[in-house]
Amino acid sequence: MSREAKFSCGRDYFYTSHLYDALSESAGQGFDFICVNMAGPRYVRGGVCDNTADKREEPMSRSDLTLSTNDWNQLIVGKISSWINLEHSSKKVRESHEKAFYEELSYATHLSIPAVLVELNSSDCENLSSSLVAYLQQTNQHVWVKVPLTYPLNKEYSFNIEEVGREDPWEWWTKFYALCGCNKKISVVLEIGTRCVEAMVIDRWTGEPVKAYSVSTESFSSNQKGFPVLNKSTQSVINSLFKLNCQGILTGTNHVNKLMGITTYIQYLQHLWSIRDNESPVREFARGYEDFLQCPLQPLQDNLESQTYEMFEKDPVKYVRYEEAVKQALLDIKERETYQGKDVVVMVVGAGRGPLVKGTISASKATGISVKIFAVEKNPNAIITLRNLNIKEWNSLVTIVSSDMRLWTPPELADIIVSELLGSFGDNELSPECLDGAQHLLKPDAISIPTSYTSFLAPVSSTKLYNALANCVDPSKPAEAPYETPYVVYLHNVYLPAPCKPLFTFTHPNLQQNSNERYTQLQFEFSQNSVIHGFVGYFSSNLYKDITISIHPTTYSIGMFSWFPMYFPIRQPLYVEYADRVLVNFWRRVGKNKVWYEWSVSSPRASGVHNSGGKCYSIGL
Amino acid sequence: MSREAKFSCGRDYFYTSHLYDALSESAGQGFDFICVNMAGPRYVRGGVCDNTADKREEPMSRSDLTLSTNDWNQLIVGKISSWINLEHSSKKVRESHEKAFYEELSYATHLSIPAVLVELNSSDCENLSSSLVAYLQQTNQHVWVKVPLTYPLNKEYSFNIEEVGREDPWEWWTKFYALCGCNKKISVVLEIGTRCVEAMVIDRWTGEPVKAYSVSTESFSSNQKGFPVLNKSTQSVINSLFKLNCQGILTGTNHVNKLMGITTYIQYLQHLWSIRDNESPVREFARGYEDFLQCPLQPLQDNLESQTYEMFEKDPVKYVRYEEAVKQALLDIKERETYQGKDVVVMVVGAGRGPLVKGTISASKATGISVKIFAVEKNPNAIITLRNLNIKEWNSLVTIVSSDMRLWTPPELADIIVSELLGSFGDNELSPECLDGAQHLLKPDAISIPTSYTSFLAPVSSTKLYNALANCVDPSKPAEAPYETPYVVYLHNVYLPAPCKPLFTFTHPNLQQNSNERYTQLQFEFSQNSVIHGFVGYFSSNLYKDITISIHPTTYSIGMFSWFPMYFPIRQPLYVEYADRVLVNFWRRVGKNKVWYEWSVSSPRASGVHNSGGKCYSIGL
């Protein structure tokens, strides 16, 4: 699942009758593909297409023999004729245009070209969406819909949320894509002008299926050396789209410097790509898993496999923090009046293959405080590793206990209990239930590492995540299950229209035996119109005192890769206006044999309760 | 979908406590993987395994840290302890063995090793199959079941069909695999001895999921130069298994020549691989598509795409035969009394992108007989190609007709009608209906190319094909549809227990307007016990006089790749004894808008009618 994104840019030709030559020329200039009209321009007659395939003597377009299937399939984007207007008020014209539309689409599919390009010029798109979706039902053809970033494209622009309304192209697209039923075969080509736009204008598009940006040579100006350059705002827009691995399309002709050809434009875009925001270590680790929905692990119910342990043990941050926390706890115990130089009893519960045992041994060595370690683990396969390690590396000093921590009767009680039972949403791997069940192992003043953890929630806009749900069908579950189940996912093609808020907190030891059920209602304010597709979840944890680990976006433990965020979908995408408040309700429910979450939206429009009674998803106790 | 099979051979170790060293050693000797016991031998005590994961102080096996996940995952096959006997008469012993069995399986899954090896030593396998299938439901673990080719393995052997019965290991496997519900995660390792076996003994295994062969160094003898070699019969068995891309497993120690190490054995097997039966051109073309079920094309209902035309036009045999047939027909017409030097009218119906037009022009040039060509095609996208070709290559001499051949009113009548409307089963792309519908285009003495075609049928044994059906679920069709639908497939891991017989024949012109409905009952005799999973279909066609094309195995047009065979499944695998006669009924039904096949078995046991009324599969008219 690992593949590095590459810079890619195509050239937009209006029409060429010498396709092979155009392709050779543009390849020589450094372009990766070209965009050409599907049909010849002579087929427009007075705005009415009166050609039918049956009567014409001349061919509608160039022959498929002009290129090999391989070339059609990799190098050509086909533009649907721009004179085609499916919203025309005349029924006769509209029907004639629809016929031409299908002819061009059908020929594109015949040629196996990877995408056809359709322009969206206003919010009037009822017939376009209906005709397009009807066609897509029969084929695997992909369609790129070209939408301007702003309207008009190039006039000086001040984003005023209250005046935008129907003339905001994002609203055109949102209506069009809703009419198309969020069809996966449809993507966006964003047309970029020279206007300066605020960050929020482009941010909103980062949750949409944007595949390419289109920029005209007219948008470039000449720098001191005579080379074409873009203004800061446009650079920043393109940089945002590079994060989505968007390809470029260059339209227009060379005008900046006649001596230096069109190649200088592509070189400039390539330069922007090469200096784009650097990859983070986690992004590197997650490559290939962007927006890929995964079922959350259930380490309590299922035994983890060797390769899962192996991967998590490589986390460069988590175990350093844990060792630091154990060290601090040992030093604090040493300061207690009750400490008389005896071995501090440390129980590692859910020891897995022993990384926390190793950390405890190191902490003991570093502080000079001697410890007695019990490693409790319920997975018999990990027990084999622990026993081998105990013989070969730990000098048989660790007591290996093959048991569920909740069921074990200890020979003595613990001063410190160390566990790593946290999931992406904090409590979702049942850390609260396990640690509460292990409280009989503790001395009254025992320290728990971690001491507490909190889950966080934010609304999310992402057609990519929402569309991926349709692939998550499980015949053994209710039909709605994909839409009422949380997933673990590395977020990529998403937009968070409002900041995270804290949801549930758990602290340990839980001496009052407080219930682990929870209910919280959260309110989110929106700064602009958005379509939300659910909520994303994070956690942070205090291991001990001020030593924390976190995957919350603003307190993230940089370099830590053990957890991706959670995604809680909603059944229907929810259109939210900028003045709306979104109210969401979250429950954590605990049954006899399982734990589950339920969620619902109560404002601006009420949704049904998702995963009611744990019917679609639960975590086995 | 293209990947060349590679020689691969593993080494079987009984047990090694130094796994890393064993792996290095065997890699140095040229082995690709090793087979080692899952648990240490010390864990057998008096035939009873009294170890429980909870109480043992010592680890059951070596640590998972011994190798990286990558190495476990690619280089290790884990052998389940051979003392484990799940059919033991004592309940206590059986339960204890079952516990050990699950422990070893579970540890194998923990390690992500690609396969565990289990031995099948008799037909008593009720508990083994039950325990194994229960485990496989929870994991993606693959299991290799080792079965001897003959029993006993090495005694001199004469295959007597009537005496075999329960002591035939193929019968053990057949029972075991049926008890396992033909589970896809289970494959066969065939243990080969030194017995001479008849071809039919190994042939029967070519329909089973055989992944590897196992051969002992004891089976090798020394040649004149002191190198280890196998006898002719064993060579031939291994050669048959190479066709299924089987891997090797070498057991035992070097005994032939102490000076030359174990490497000489693997070199010998590699030598056998290098001289194995050569690939045919069709096998080359079909690589990656072996046993891959495809929906038959419906060129009448759907328009073919450019890449499909492109691929079929490359057939090195088909168009040569067609051109020869047109030549012959032209020469025959010239001999007629009615011929007066006028242009012979040739209509190419279903002209596609024009390969038969091209062939007709060549035939005209070669014979010096002038022709007038009409190219009739219903696909508007192919019409674009034909019109471009007519302008650029055919000097506008061809009349391009954009119409369904059944609906077109011609300006004059044809002397010759040429079509290529045949499918893998001959008539299954509705050539009979199309050509009958085009008879109004013909002069009374017109010649049809092709003149006739016949479908052929044979019973097939192939767990691979049968298991692939489960992946062919279409939610818009009845649940049983995958099992009552024909497929196009390149046959590979299959066994044909009886020769092909002719089924339906069609001739053209069909001046009497005979119905295209058909019913035929075929009878097949079996030479040995087999399990059949349906029927395979082929066709041959007389284009004109003695010029034929055929995909029937014994009259195959060598090098022709345009058609793979058909596979007609049956719902339940059918066990057939060698004396049984199999009676199968096939219908071709014609409705108003569709054509379909129905089939049933009436002996040795009756099946239901498959695809009754075309409920699962039909061809649109």
Side-chain angles (χ1 to χ4, degrees):
Chain A
M1 291 277 271
S2 166
R3 123 204 79 83
E4 196 155 2
K6 277 189 186 161
F7 174 79
S8 167
C9 188
R11 177 84 190 272
D12 187 353
Y13 280 82
F14 172 63
Y15 186 81
T16 172
S17 49
H18 297 91
L19 183 59
Y20 193 86
D21 296 343
L23 205 48
S24 305
E25 181 193 54
S26 62
Q29 289 160 343
F31 290 97
D32 299 289
F33 60 94
I34 66 175
C35 307
V36 287
N37 272 51
M38 283 309 306
R42 76 181 73 178
Y43 285 87
V44 200
R45 295 195 185 98
V48 182
C49 164
D50 58 0
N51 310 293
T52 62
D54 298 349
K55 295 176 201 152
R56 276 199 297 258
E57 273 310 304
E58 257 183 286
M60 178 197 92
S61 184
R62 49 185 100 67
S63 168
D64 52 0
L65 298 172
T66 311
L67 301 179
S68 71
T69 296
N70 227 17
D71 284 353
W72 285 118
N73 192 21
Q74 293 178 0
L75 307 175
I76 306 296
V77 169
K79 296 190 295 180
I80 298 297
S81 296
S82 57
W83 59 264
I84 293 177
N85 176 10
L86 300 183
E87 317 302 330
H88 201 286
S89 56
S90 148
K91 180 166 182 281
K92 192 177 161 220
V93 175
R94 197 172 64 239
E95 283 173 358
S96 153
H97 282 212
E98 189 174 80
K99 187 164 186 191
F101 184 64
Y102 282 135
E103 264 179 23
E104 295 191 13
L105 281 177
S106 157
Y107 196 52
T109 305
H110 174 78
L111 297 171
S112 302
I113 63 176
V116 295
L117 195 65
V118 176
E119 289 178 17
L120 186 67
N121 295 318
S122 81
S123 67
D124 297 333
C125 55
E126 281 77 1
N127 280 296
L128 174 61
S129 54
S130 156
S131 302
L132 192 58
V133 170
Y135 184 77
L136 294 183
Q137 271 177 2
Q138 308 160 30
T139 71
N140 286 318
Q141 185 64 58
H142 282 253
V143 174
W144 285 3
V145 175
K146 190 167 166 182
V147 188
L149 179 62
T150 55
Y151 182 81
L153 191 62
N154 290 319
K155 214 181 67 179
E156 236 358 273
Y157 181 75
S158 163
F159 188 71
N160 184 335
I161 207 111
E162 291 173 52
E163 290 172 11
V164 171
R166 279 168 57 88
E167 287 314 326
D168 178 356
W170 180 86
E171 299 282 351
W172 305 347
W173 159 255
T174 295
K175 174 183 166 187
F176 171 77
Y177 199 51
L179 285 168
C180 291
C182 299
N183 194 303
K184 275 190 211 187
K185 296 170 193 160
I186 300 174
S187 310
V188 175
V189 175
L190 214 49
E191 192 181 4
I192 302 170
T194 51
R195 274 194 188 183
C196 289
V197 294
E198 292 169 50
M200 61 194 289
V201 174
I202 184 70
D203 283 354
R204 194 165 46 167
W205 285 99
T206 59
E208 306 293 347
V210 187
K211 277 282 181 298
Y213 61 90
S214 162
V215 62
S216 166
T217 53
E218 303 288 329
S219 297
F220 287 76
S221 54
S222 170
N223 72 1
Q224 290 174 333
K225 293 179 182 166
F227 283 93
V229 292
L230 292 167
N231 66 33
K232 283 281 171 202
S233 167
T234 310
Q235 286 178 39
S236 154
V237 166
I238 290 179
N239 208 0
S240 293
L241 295 173
F242 279 157
K243 285 185 196 153
L244 301 180
N245 301 330
C246 281
Q247 306 184 69
I249 296 174
L250 188 68
T251 68
T253 53
N254 172 24
H255 70 99
V256 168
N257 188 324
K258 293 294 172 195
L259 289 175
M260 295 177 288
I262 196 82
T263 306
T264 53
Y265 294 85
I266 195 172
Q267 280 166 347
Y268 178 74
L269 293 172
Q270 207 149 19
H271 165 70
L272 289 186
W273 172 267
S274 69
I275 60 164
R276 73 195 188 282
D277 278 359
N278 263 338
E279 314 261 313
S280 72
V282 177
R283 188 166 179 179
E284 185 71 25
F285 172 78
R287 182 171 295 144
Y289 287 91
E290 293 93 344
D291 300 319
F292 180 73
L293 301 179
Q294 299 176 274
C295 291
L297 289 173
Q298 296 216 8
L300 181 56
Q301 180 182 284
D302 309 324
N303 287 326
L304 297 186
E305 295 185 3
S306 180
Q307 59 184 324
T308 312
Y309 288 117
E310 184 178 89
M311 186 182 66
F312 287 130
E313 286 165 10
K314 286 181 184 153
D315 193 300
V317 175
K318 186 170 76 160
Y319 294 110
V320 174
R321 300 272 169 101
Y322 262 97
E323 187 176 327
E324 195 52 47
V326 175
K327 243 190 250 175
Q328 197 57 55
L330 285 175
L331 290 170
D332 284 358
I333 285 175
K334 194 184 176 186
E335 293 305 309
R336 286 180 185 167
E337 288 181 4
T338 47
Y339 178 73
Q340 295 167 324
K342 278 195 294 186
D343 286 355
V344 176
V345 179
V346 180
M347 290 184 183
V348 178
V349 293
R353 305 200 308 180
L356 292 180
V357 174
K358 213 155 126 191
T360 303
I361 293 170
S362 299
S364 164
K365 280 186 185 155
T367 55
I369 300 169
S370 67
V371 294
K372 181 165 184 188
I373 305 177
F374 292 87
V376 185
E377 175 54 52
K378 63 141 186 82
N379 177 355
N381 299 312
I383 288 290
I384 297 174
T385 321
L386 290 171
R387 287 192 173 136
N388 276 290
L389 279 171
N390 202 25
I391 292 165
K392 286 186 194 147
E393 295 192 10
W394 299 335
N395 224 352
S396 296
L397 291 176
V398 178
T399 306
I400 313 290
V401 181
S402 178
S403 170
D404 187 311
M405 68 181 84
R406 296 169 295 180
L407 307 174
W408 178 49
T409 310
E412 59 188 308
L413 297 179
D415 295 298
I416 302 175
I417 182 169
V418 193
S419 66
E420 45 166 338
L421 307 169
L422 299 178
S424 298
F425 204 46
D427 58 274
N428 66 300
E429 293 181 7
L430 308 192
S431 179
E433 283 71 19
C434 291
L435 292 182
D436 284 7
Q439 282 192 156
H440 67 286
L441 309 177
L442 307 185
K443 290 183 185 162
D445 59 352
I447 293 168
S448 170
I449 297 173
T451 306
S452 72
Y453 35 89
T454 299
S455 51
F456 294 86
L457 206 70
V460 64
S461 174
S462 173
T463 57
K464 186 85 172 280
L465 292 185
Y466 186 75
N467 273 337
L469 296 172
N471 296 332
C472 298
V473 174
D474 178 342
S476 70
K477 292 187 174 175
E480 67 274 22
Y483 297 83
E484 305 196 14
T485 298
Y487 303 88
V488 167
V489 55
Y490 180 71
L491 302 175
H492 180 62
N493 195 351
V494 303
Y495 166 52
L496 301 190
C500 284
K501 295 199 166 181
L503 186 68
F504 304 143
T505 295
F506 297 83
T507 58
H508 297 283
N510 173 16
L511 297 176
Q512 280 75 42
Q513 297 278 0
N514 290 327
S515 155
N516 291 318
E517 295 212 311
R518 295 284 188 279
Y519 164 66
T520 300
Q521 184 177 66
L522 294 178
Q523 174 176 321
F524 295 98
E525 279 90 29
F526 277 58
S527 53
Q528 62 181 337
N529 298 4
S530 306
V531 176
I532 69 166
H533 301 93
F535 299 86
V536 287
Y538 306 94
F539 84 96
S540 77
S541 170
N542 290 327
L543 294 181
Y544 185 64
K545 291 191 165 167
D546 61 344
I547 301 160
T548 63
I549 51 176
S550 169
I551 63 163
H552 182 294
T554 56
T555 60
Y556 196 83
S557 306
I558 293 161
M560 190 170 72
F561 61 66
S562 291
W563 295 274
F564 292 158
M566 297 282 272
Y567 169 47
F568 292 86
I570 53 176
R571 291 185 67 167
Q572 292 296 329
L574 182 68
Y575 183 88
V576 181
E577 290 190 52
Y578 85 99
D580 287 340
R581 295 180 316 172
V582 169
L583 286 180
V584 58
N585 310 286
F586 255 78
W587 293 263
R588 186 182 199 269
R589 305 275 199 194
V590 182
K592 198 175 167 206
N593 299 313
K594 64 182 189 178
V595 174
W596 68 96
Y597 302 102
E598 299 179 9
W599 59 101
S600 69
V601 175
S602 38
S603 170
R605 281 170 300 285
S607 77
V609 173
H610 289 65
N611 192 36
S612 180
K615 65 176 173 171
C616 300
Y617 167 80
S618 62
I619 313 147
L621 264 171
Chain B
M1 291 278 271
S2 166
R3 122 206 80 84
E4 196 157 0
K6 276 187 187 162
F7 175 79
S8 167
C9 187
R11 177 86 191 271
D12 188 352
Y13 280 81
F14 173 62
Y15 186 80
T16 171
S17 49
H18 297 91
L19 183 60
Y20 192 87
D21 296 343
L23 205 49
S24 305
E25 182 194 54
S26 62
Q29 289 160 344
F31 290 97
D32 299 288
F33 60 92
I34 65 176
C35 308
V36 287
N37 271 51
M38 282 310 305
R42 76 180 75 177
Y43 285 88
V44 201
R45 295 196 184 97
V48 182
C49 163
D50 58 0
N51 310 293
T52 63
D54 298 350
K55 293 176 201 150
R56 277 200 295 261
E57 273 310 305
E58 257 183 285
M60 177 196 95
S61 185
R62 47 186 101 67
S63 169
D64 51 0
L65 298 172
T66 311
L67 300 179
S68 72
T69 296
N70 227 19
D71 285 352
W72 285 117
N73 191 21
Q74 293 178 1
L75 308 176
I76 306 296
V77 169
K79 297 191 293 180
I80 299 297
S81 296
S82 57
W83 59 264
I84 293 177
N85 176 9
L86 301 181
E87 318 302 330
H88 201 285
S89 56
S90 148
K91 178 165 184 282
K92 193 176 161 223
V93 174
R94 197 171 64 238
E95 284 173 357
S96 154
H97 283 209
E98 188 175 80
K99 187 164 186 193
F101 184 64
Y102 281 134
E103 265 179 22
E104 295 191 13
L105 281 177
S106 157
Y107 196 52
T109 304
H110 174 79
L111 296 172
S112 300
I113 63 177
V116 294
L117 195 66
V118 176
E119 289 178 15
L120 186 68
N121 296 318
S122 82
S123 68
D124 297 333
C125 55
E126 282 76 2
N127 280 295
L128 174 63
S129 54
S130 157
S131 302
L132 192 58
V133 169
Y135 184 78
L136 294 183
Q137 271 177 0
Q138 309 159 30
T139 71
N140 286 319
Q141 185 65 57
H142 282 253
V143 174
W144 285 2
V145 175
K146 191 167 167 182
V147 188
L149 179 61
T150 55
Y151 182 82
L153 191 62
N154 289 319
K155 215 181 65 178
E156 238 355 276
Y157 182 74
S158 163
F159 188 73
N160 184 335
I161 206 110
E162 290 173 53
E163 290 173 10
V164 172
R166 281 167 57 88
E167 287 316 324
D168 178 356
W170 180 86
E171 300 281 352
W172 306 346
W173 159 255
T174 294
K175 174 183 166 188
F176 170 77
Y177 200 51
L179 286 168
C180 291
C182 299
N183 193 304
K184 274 190 211 186
K185 297 170 193 160
I186 300 174
S187 309
V188 174
V189 174
L190 214 49
E191 191 180 4
I192 302 170
T194 50
R195 275 193 187 182
C196 288
V197 294
E198 292 170 49
M200 62 194 290
V201 174
I202 185 71
D203 282 354
R204 195 164 46 165
W205 284 98
T206 59
E208 306 294 346
V210 187
K211 277 282 181 298
Y213 61 90
S214 162
V215 62
S216 166
T217 52
E218 302 288 331
S219 297
F220 288 76
S221 54
S222 171
N223 73 2
Q224 289 174 332
K225 292 181 183 163
F227 284 93
V229 292
L230 292 167
N231 66 33
K232 285 280 173 203
S233 168
T234 309
Q235 286 179 37
S236 154
V237 165
I238 289 179
N239 209 1
S240 295
L241 295 173
F242 280 157
K243 286 185 196 151
L244 301 180
N245 300 330
C246 282
Q247 306 182 69
I249 296 174
L250 188 68
T251 67
T253 53
N254 172 25
H255 71 101
V256 169
N257 188 325
K258 292 295 172 194
L259 289 175
M260 295 178 288
I262 196 83
T263 306
T264 53
Y265 294 85
I266 194 171
Q267 281 166 347
Y268 178 75
L269 293 172
Q270 207 149 18
H271 165 72
L272 289 186
W273 173 267
S274 69
I275 59 165
R276 72 195 188 281
D277 277 0
N278 263 339
E279 314 262 315
S280 73
V282 177
R283 188 166 180 183
E284 187 70 26
F285 172 79
R287 182 172 297 146
Y289 287 92
E290 294 93 345
D291 300 319
F292 180 73
L293 301 179
Q294 299 176 276
C295 290
L297 288 174
Q298 295 216 8
L300 182 55
Q301 179 182 285
D302 309 324
N303 287 326
L304 297 185
E305 295 185 1
S306 180
Q307 59 184 325
T308 312
Y309 288 118
E310 185 177 88
M311 185 182 67
F312 288 130
E313 286 164 10
K314 287 181 184 153
D315 195 299
V317 175
K318 187 170 77 160
Y319 295 110
V320 173
R321 300 272 169 101
Y322 263 97
E323 187 177 327
E324 196 50 48
V326 176
K327 243 191 252 176
Q328 198 56 56
L330 286 174
L331 290 170
D332 284 358
I333 284 175
K334 193 182 177 186
E335 294 303 310
R336 286 181 185 169
E337 289 182 1
T338 48
Y339 178 74
Q340 296 167 326
K342 277 195 297 186
D343 285 353
V344 176
V345 179
V346 180
M347 290 185 185
V348 178
V349 293
R353 304 198 311 181
L356 292 181
V357 175
K358 213 156 125 190
T360 302
I361 293 171
S362 299
S364 164
K365 281 185 186 158
T367 55
I369 301 169
S370 67
V371 293
K372 179 165 185 187
I373 304 177
F374 293 87
V376 185
E377 175 55 49
K378 61 140 187 81
N379 177 356
N381 300 311
I383 288 290
I384 297 174
T385 322
L386 289 171
R387 287 192 174 137
N388 276 292
L389 279 171
N390 202 23
I391 293 166
K392 287 183 194 150
E393 295 191 11
W394 299 334
N395 225 352
S396 296
L397 291 176
V398 178
T399 306
I400 312 290
V401 181
S402 178
S403 171
D404 187 311
M405 68 180 84
R406 295 169 295 180
L407 306 175
W408 177 48
T409 310
E412 58 187 305
L413 297 179
D415 296 297
I416 301 176
I417 182 169
V418 193
S419 67
E420 47 166 336
L421 307 169
L422 299 178
S424 298
F425 205 48
D427 59 273
N428 66 301
E429 293 181 6
L430 307 192
S431 178
E433 284 72 18
C434 291
L435 292 182
D436 285 5
Q439 280 191 157
H440 66 285
L441 309 178
L442 306 185
K443 290 182 185 162
D445 59 352
I447 292 168
S448 171
I449 296 173
T451 306
S452 72
Y453 35 91
T454 300
S455 51
F456 294 85
L457 207 70
V460 63
S461 173
S462 173
T463 56
K464 186 86 173 280
L465 293 184
Y466 186 76
N467 274 336
L469 297 171
N471 295 333
C472 298
V473 173
D474 178 341
S476 71
K477 292 187 173 174
E480 66 274 22
Y483 297 84
E484 305 196 17
T485 298
Y487 303 88
V488 166
V489 56
Y490 180 72
L491 302 175
H492 180 63
N493 195 353
V494 303
Y495 167 53
L496 300 190
C500 284
K501 296 199 167 181
L503 186 67
F504 305 143
T505 294
F506 299 83
T507 58
H508 297 284
N510 173 14
L511 297 176
Q512 281 74 43
Q513 298 277 2
N514 290 329
S515 157
N516 291 319
E517 294 212 312
R518 295 285 188 279
Y519 165 68
T520 301
Q521 184 178 67
L522 294 179
Q523 173 177 320
F524 295 98
E525 280 90 30
F526 278 57
S527 52
Q528 63 181 338
N529 298 4
S530 307
V531 176
I532 70 165
H533 302 93
F535 298 87
V536 287
Y538 306 93
F539 83 96
S540 77
S541 171
N542 289 327
L543 294 181
Y544 185 63
K545 292 191 163 165
D546 61 344
I547 300 159
T548 62
I549 51 177
S550 169
I551 64 164
H552 181 294
T554 57
T555 61
Y556 197 85
S557 306
I558 292 161
M560 191 170 71
F561 62 67
S562 291
W563 295 274
F564 292 157
M566 296 282 271
Y567 169 48
F568 292 86
I570 51 176
R571 290 184 69 168
Q572 292 296 330
L574 182 69
Y575 184 89
V576 180
E577 290 190 53
Y578 85 100
D580 287 341
R581 294 179 318 172
V582 169
L583 286 179
V584 58
N585 309 287
F586 255 78
W587 292 264
R588 186 182 198 270
R589 306 275 198 192
V590 182
K592 197 173 167 208
N593 299 311
K594 62 181 190 178
V595 174
W596 68 97
Y597 302 102
E598 299 178 11
W599 59 101
S600 69
V601 175
S602 38
S603 171
R605 282 169 299 284
S607 77
V609 173
H610 289 65
N611 192 36
S612 180
K615 65 176 173 169
C616 300
Y617 166 80
S618 62
I619 313 148
L621 263 170

